[in-house]
Each structure stands twice: as structure tokens, then as C-alpha cells.
Amino acid sequence: HNNCSPLLAIELRPKGTMSGLRSPLVLFLLLTVLQAFSLSTAFTLVGRCATNGVGKTALLAKGAESASSDLARSSSSTSAANKDEPSKSKSANERPSPRTVAALALIQTDMAVLKGSSRRRNRNKNNQKPTSRPRKPKLPLATLETNVHYLTMDPRDRAFCRLLVTTVERRRGQLVKILDSLKRKKTTANKTTFNPLSKQNIVTEAVLQLGAAQLLFIDNVKPYAAIKETVDVMRQIPKTPVAEPRVKFVNAILRQLDRNLKKGEKNHDDEGNDSPTPGLQAMLDLAPPQENISPWLYKAWSTQWGDEMARELLDAAMKQAPTYISVKASGGPPEQQLQRREEICEAVGGGRLLPHGSIALPTKRSGGGVGQVKQIPLFEDGVWWVQDASAAVPALALYDALVNPPTAAEATPIDPSSLHVADICASPGGKSAQLLDMGFARPVSLVESSEFRCKRLRSNLERLGYTSPEDYVLHVVDAKEWKPEDLLDGILLDVPCSATGTASKRPDVLYGRTEESVTELMQLQRSLAEASIENCLKDDGGMLAYVTCSTLQQESEDQIQYLLQKYHGSLELVKINPNAVPGFENAITEQEGWLRIMPGCTKLSFSCDGFFVALLKKTGPITTTPKKDE
């Protein structure tokens, strides 16, 4: 404001009378209009406003004259500056880079967690009880998918941005340990200390992890680009200016990491594949993949499945899972359905058709998130919906058990339109769409306790062409309390669980679950299954498909054993027909006949989420077995 010209000198009456106040207000309004193009006007309160008309007029004239000259100077300077305007507007409208958008998603999530922790500390300090249930902060991917810059990115940039966020989330434990070892040396040498709870430190940590993830775990990224562009991100974070010493600190850490990784040369195995450099191997030895998972969860995997399977599960969780879609049936014979799926494979750019009907999208289509999925051909036409390959199996198993009962192998299949079924815990609607697509009696009952999740459920089904109440009836109610008007032939119950089978898509489940939270989920799972069996199924052959996306036995196999013991004589286990789930035959256990799909399992020819499916048939009125004393 050094070039401002003072236009007015006003001092209000010290005794507060209104006669002196009106003049400044009138002058201020007039001069504001005159100064519409010159906003850098300074008003200095140094004089007394004249109380007679002559003084006011003279002062007004003087102010108007000064304002006009100032406006003229402003206009000339604006005209002169217009020559440089295009470059300025171009700079202002420049889109943020994928690295910047990815960093913002990580920073916003960490700040939300810090804010929630701070509130809890303050309540505990003041001995206050929470007035409401604490809001769970969004995950980085959810935060990313609400960013307008991410949604409008070029598909290639969007995929790279998403890869950055998911890699940091998957490898956070390793990244933290490796960076801590480097920071310890650097801060000790420079005697630098940072407040871990400050906003600047959150930015620093997020950018460091972003840069280290590119150097350590993402292929085809040049080290100089990873370092330079990641460091530049620190200067582009809005509302959180970062001091230059921090920028230099991040640059030094990433360059030191790059030097360490380049130590030694790559070795080649007999097949010509590169092995990690000694520098990279030293880093991986310092921070193995087990750093990315809660110790209790990895121990549970090792105890239940063995050390080798635990390593396979963790290795699968460190990789980006493919995206699968399920195709809406168009009617007609199986040959026509197969031809339609093959045409859709070509339409989406070379998808792979799996034996049970799911289509694996090509790599360029996978991992792009919601924004990219909507750009895939035929999305708006409601021809298909996103659903993991293993998530499509439960409905197939239930359909076969209802239409082709095991006890009547030679009998005529039952018409599905005569069977009444329900999908309990229905959101987001993939399995509901399958049940609707299979031709079961209308309307199909959908049960969901959350009104928020119901919005997504309705939206998904509407896009596929299913409407309420003609095709389905949505019951927004606690499933434990729900009772249908007429008992049902079949129920698909996908219970809330730890979701450890979906770690390749949701890395947070590896470190965000606790043993206590799993115990709480187990109680909920039992309550939902008991309510479904006792209140909803027909006594003479009602079928329950119990489903989880968990790799923990206590949420899956152990729950089935509990139900069979409790309802002994009224409930029996039905073996899944291998012909009903082509491609997953090897995942059916020989003795029990239930389906156990493990991520990264060599028994399958494709990678998918972990799932558990068991079929339970109600054989008569409920009689419960008394619980044994524990």
C-alpha cells in the first residue's frame, strides 16, 4: 500500500453526536463508488469534520477531485498491467499436479484424525462426557474422491494420483520406520526438532511419505522427478505455509534415501528378472512388510493358517487388486448370455471373462476410483455394476441351493419366481442386484439399518433399472428387529465384519482393527444370524447364506459351528455345489463344503478379495441347545 493516496481526513466527534457521524458515512459511500477500480485507498483519521455546509461541500469536492485523479492513475496502471495479464491468469488457473492432490488427501485425513484426538484429550482433561458418538474420519481414498481436481483429471493422472495414495496407505508402516531412521540421523546432526502435533509437521510427514513411496515401491518413476516435484508440493499446500527450512529438510531426506537405494548394482536371476539392489534390500530388511499390519492380526493369520499363508495374505494386501464388474442378465439361453458378456468385454477395452460370469477390467481401467468407473462404456446404460469376483459368489451359491435342492437332484428345478428372498445388510447393492437379476419373486426384500447407506443403495439400483416398490421393498430398520410379513425361502446375510479380506482395496483394515473391535463384531454377527434364522426363515427348508469378507476364522468358520451347535436338530450345513461357482471349485472345503476364498491363494487362477460363504438349511421349528459353561 505504499502507492496509496490519502483522500480523506476524518475524526469523529469525541462526544458521540450523530452530526459528525453522518458526514463520514456519506463520504465513505461516495468514495467507495469512485474507487471501484482502486481498492488500495487509505483513510487516515487526523482532522475534525466540518459541521457547516461549506466545510462539508469543500471537503467532499476535495475528496472527489483526489478520487478522480487516483482513479485515473489506477486506470493507466491497470492498462499497463494488462499486457502481463494472460500469463497471470494462466498461472492462477493452472491445475494442481497429481502429487499435490494426493498430498492434500493424506494431509486432510491426518489433520482430521489429529483434530478428533485433540477433542478427546480436551474432554478427558475436563472430565467431560462426549455429547454424541465421535465421527469417524474419512479415509484418504474417500477424501481423494471428493476432490474436484481429482475428479476432473486426465484418466492417466487420476490413476497415478490414486496409486500414490494407496501405496502410502499400504506401506505406511514401512515408510514411517525407514524415514525415522533417516530423520534421526539428520535431526541429530542439525539439532533440528519438530513439534509432531503441528500442522506443518503433518504436511512434512505426508510429503516425506509420498516421496519415499515413489522411490521405494512405485516403478517407472524417475528419482529426480519424484524428489523435485514432491518437494515442490510443500510450496503449494493452501492455508498451511511451510517454512523454507522444512522444505530443505524434506529435500535432504529424500536425496539421502535415493543415495542409499542406489548403493550396489542390480542382480539378475536365471530368468532375467531384476532383484532389489543391496541398498533397497537393506531398507526392506530394516522395515519388512510386517510393519504395515497390526501385530495381533498377523499373529492370528499365522496361528490359524500357518506362516506361509500369512505371508501370502500380506503379500496380496500390498498389491493393487483388479476391478471386476457383474453384468445384468438380458434374458435368453446361456449361449446368448455368454455372447453378450463377450461383447461387453470388448466394449470396456479388453476385459477378461471369468468362468462364473464376472469380467476383470483391463489394467488401464482398474484402480481409477469412482470418477474413472463412470467413464467406462455402458455405465450410464445400467448394463453392469462394480462387484469383486468373489463377492458375486454368495448369490450364485444361494440360487443353486434354492432352485436345485441337494435332496432332489433328479427333480425338476424350482421356478425362482415362486421363491421369496431377502438381502440383509444390503448396501451398496451388488448382491441385491444379483438377486433381482435372478428372477426371484417380486418384490425382493432389502434390509439396511443406515439411511445414509440406503441413499447409495437406491441410487445404484435405479441406475440398473430397478425401482421400488415394483422390484424391491427397502426396509430401513435394524435387521435384528426386522420380521417379514411372510416367512422367506432364502436369505443372503453379508454380516458386518473386519473386512480383512479386502485389504488390497482398503489398506486401513490392516492397522485400523483391534481385537476388541473384532469381538464386538462377532456379537453383532451372531445376533443378526440368530434373528434371521428364528424370525425370517421358513421352518421347512428355508436357506441362509452366511457371508463375510473376513480372513479370520472367529468371524466365519467359528460362527457356523456356534450356530450349528445352538440350533442342533433345527439347522444343518449344506455343501455348496461346485458347478454353481465355476472357477472357485478348489476353494470349497472337502469336509464341510463351505467356501473359503483367500486373497493371493494359488488355488485360483485370478486374484480377488477374501470371502467366506456357508449355506445353512432350516429343517424344522427352532429348538436351541443350552449353552455350555465357559
Side-chain angles (χ1 to χ4, degrees):
H1 298 292
N2 292 332
N3 297 324
C4 297
S5 58
L7 304 182
L8 189 61
I10 303 171
E11 181 183 10
L12 300 182
R13 281 188 179 273
K15 296 183 180 180
T17 57
M18 292 301 296
S19 59
L21 182 59
R22 292 192 187 100
S23 294
L25 287 177
V26 172
L27 291 173
F28 175 76
L29 292 174
L30 177 60
L31 293 178
T32 299
V33 175
L34 292 174
Q35 291 291 345
F37 299 100
S38 178
L39 302 179
S40 58
T41 302
F43 294 88
T44 309
L45 303 178
V46 292
R48 179 179 295 275
C49 179
T51 57
N52 53 56
V54 178
K56 292 178 184 177
T57 305
L59 187 58
L60 179 59
K62 182 179 180 181
E65 181 183 357
S66 300
S68 301
S69 61
D70 192 62
L71 179 59
R73 288 195 301 270
S74 174
S75 300
S76 61
S77 62
T78 302
S79 301
N82 279 341
K83 298 179 181 179
D84 300 328
E85 193 64 29
S87 62
K88 290 183 180 179
S89 67
K90 181 179 178 181
S91 173
N93 295 330
E94 207 171 65
R95 291 180 179 273
S97 68
R99 289 180 174 88
T100 302
V101 176
L104 283 172
L106 297 169
I107 292 166
Q108 289 172 5
T109 304
D110 290 343
M111 284 188 175
V113 172
L114 177 63
K115 188 175 181 180
S117 301
S118 177
R119 287 176 177 173
R120 286 193 294 272
R121 283 195 302 272
N122 291 335
R123 282 199 302 264
N124 295 336
K125 183 177 179 180
N126 299 326
N127 296 323
Q128 296 177 347
K129 293 183 178 181
T131 56
S132 61
R133 187 176 180 180
R135 179 177 296 180
K136 190 175 181 180
K138 282 185 178 181
L139 298 175
L141 281 179
T143 303
L144 181 67
E145 290 183 347
T146 60
N147 188 301
V148 65
H149 297 296
Y150 170 77
L151 296 175
T152 56
M153 275 182 182
D154 176 84
R156 184 176 179 181
D157 286 344
R158 191 188 305 116
F160 179 60
C161 183
R162 190 179 181 88
L163 177 63
L164 290 172
V165 174
T166 54
T167 302
V168 171
E169 283 297 282
R170 287 193 189 97
R171 303 281 187 171
R172 190 180 288 268
Q174 290 176 283
L175 294 171
V176 168
K177 189 162 186 177
I178 291 172
L179 290 171
D180 281 350
S181 67
L182 296 172
K183 287 190 294 184
R184 195 177 301 115
K185 297 176 183 178
K186 184 66 64 176
T187 54
T188 301
N190 297 343
K191 297 182 179 180
T192 306
T193 58
F194 293 138
N195 176 13
L197 299 180
S198 69
K199 290 183 179 181
Q200 286 205 8
N201 190 69
I202 291 176
V203 173
T204 303
E205 290 296 317
V207 174
L208 274 173
Q209 292 173 15
L210 197 67
Q214 297 170 72
L215 295 173
L216 288 162
F217 302 115
I218 299 180
D219 298 329
N220 303 322
V221 176
K222 299 295 183 183
Y224 69 85
I227 295 172
K228 181 183 182 302
E229 295 186 23
T230 302
V231 171
D232 288 343
V233 166
M234 299 192 72
R235 300 186 176 98
Q236 302 170 13
I237 302 299
K239 299 182 181 179
T240 309
V242 180
E244 192 62 26
R246 283 181 177 270
V247 178
K248 294 180 179 178
F249 176 77
V250 170
N251 183 66
I253 292 293
L254 294 180
R255 291 190 179 280
Q256 181 60 51
L257 176 60
D258 183 43
R259 286 192 293 270
N260 291 351
L261 294 177
K262 290 179 179 177
K263 291 179 180 178
E265 297 181 357
K266 290 184 177 180
N267 298 318
H268 304 278
D269 57 21
D270 297 336
E271 299 179 358
N273 298 320
D274 291 340
S275 60
T277 64
L280 175 57
Q281 190 59 52
M283 290 293 175
L284 297 179
D285 291 341
L286 171 67
Q290 285 81 352
E291 294 290 336
N292 303 314
I293 184 173
S294 297
W296 75 267
L297 179 56
Y298 191 78
K299 182 179 179 181
W301 281 352
S302 298
T303 302
Q304 296 174 9
W305 308 111
D307 293 338
E308 183 178 354
M309 179 59 75
R311 286 191 294 270
E312 289 182 6
L313 289 173
L314 184 56
D315 183 60
M318 295 298 105
K319 299 175 182 177
Q320 175 66 46
T323 300
Y324 296 93
I325 61 175
S326 293
V327 179
K328 188 177 179 182
S330 59
E335 296 79 11
Q336 184 177 342
Q337 297 284 353
L338 178 61
Q339 182 180 358
R340 174 178 170 79
R341 285 182 167 85
E342 290 175 346
E343 292 173 353
I344 292 176
C345 283
E346 296 180 4
V348 298
R352 175 190 175 193
L353 180 61
L354 302 184
H356 70 300
S358 293
I359 295 177
L361 296 181
T363 304
K364 63 181 180 180
R365 295 287 192 188
S366 295
V370 175
Q372 186 165 342
V373 166
K374 291 182 178 180
Q375 297 177 3
I376 299 175
L378 305 178
F379 175 83
E380 295 296 342
D381 297 332
V383 174
W384 53 263
W385 63 92
V386 174
Q387 186 179 35
D388 193 79
S390 55
V393 170
L396 297 175
L398 178 63
Y399 176 85
D400 180 78
L402 291 173
V403 175
N404 303 299
T407 56
E410 300 178 359
T412 304
I414 298 174
D415 182 6
S417 63
S418 65
L419 300 172
H420 294 270
V421 298
D423 184 8
I424 297 181
C425 304
S427 182
K431 300 179 187 65
S432 302
Q434 283 183 282
L435 296 179
L436 289 164
D437 202 40
M438 289 172 172
F440 286 112
R442 294 292 199 271
V444 173
S445 297
L446 309 181
V447 182
E448 177 57 60
S449 61
S450 168
E451 180 60 45
F452 177 77
R453 290 193 292 268
C454 283
K455 292 180 181 178
R456 183 182 179 190
L457 174 61
R458 292 190 189 97
S459 175
N460 289 337
L461 294 180
E462 182 180 356
R463 182 181 65 83
L464 297 173
Y466 297 118
T467 58
S468 176
E470 292 80 9
D471 296 315
Y472 68 90
V473 175
L474 179 56
H475 304 273
V476 186
V477 63
D478 187 344
K480 299 190 295 296
E481 308 297 331
W482 180 67
K483 295 182 181 180
E485 294 181 3
D486 299 312
L487 295 179
L488 302 169
D489 296 287
I491 293 176
L492 199 160
L493 175 62
D494 189 354
V495 295
C497 66
S498 62
T500 48
T502 65
S504 62
K505 296 186 180 73
R506 295 185 52 190
D508 62 292
V509 303
L510 296 177
Y511 54 82
R513 299 286 187 267
T514 63
E515 292 182 90
E516 293 75 15
S517 66
V518 172
T519 301
E520 293 177 2
L521 286 170
M522 289 172 59
Q523 295 300 324
L524 177 59
Q525 292 158 6
R526 290 186 179 184
S527 298
L528 290 170
E530 291 167 351
S532 299
I533 294 169
E534 296 175 8
N535 303 330
C536 305
L537 280 180
K538 290 182 177 179
D539 291 338
D540 54 343
M543 192 77 65
L544 172 70
Y546 179 91
V547 184
T548 73
C549 55
S550 171
T551 52
L552 296 173
Q553 291 181 4
Q554 58 264 42
E555 296 184 279
S556 310
E557 289 89 345
D558 293 352
Q559 297 286 46
I560 299 302
Q561 297 294 356
Y562 165 82
L563 294 171
L564 291 172
Q565 180 182 353
K566 178 174 182 178
Y567 300 113
H568 180 71
S570 305
L571 198 68
E572 66 179 25
L573 183 65
V574 176
K575 291 188 176 182
I576 294 175
N577 181 8
N579 296 326
V581 289
F584 291 91
E585 303 93 333
N586 294 332
I588 300 175
T589 59
E590 183 176 354
Q591 182 176 353
E592 299 86 2
W594 55 46
L595 194 73
R596 166 51 81 182
I597 306 171
M598 303 295 276
C601 180
T602 55
K603 292 182 180 180
L604 302 178
S605 59
F606 47 88
S607 175
C608 59
D609 289 343
F611 257 80
F612 173 82
V613 186
L615 297 177
L616 296 171
K617 181 180 178 181
K618 194 173 178 182
T619 57
I622 291 298
T623 57
T624 59
T625 302
K627 295 181 180 180
K628 295 181 180 180
D629 294 334
E630 296 183 359

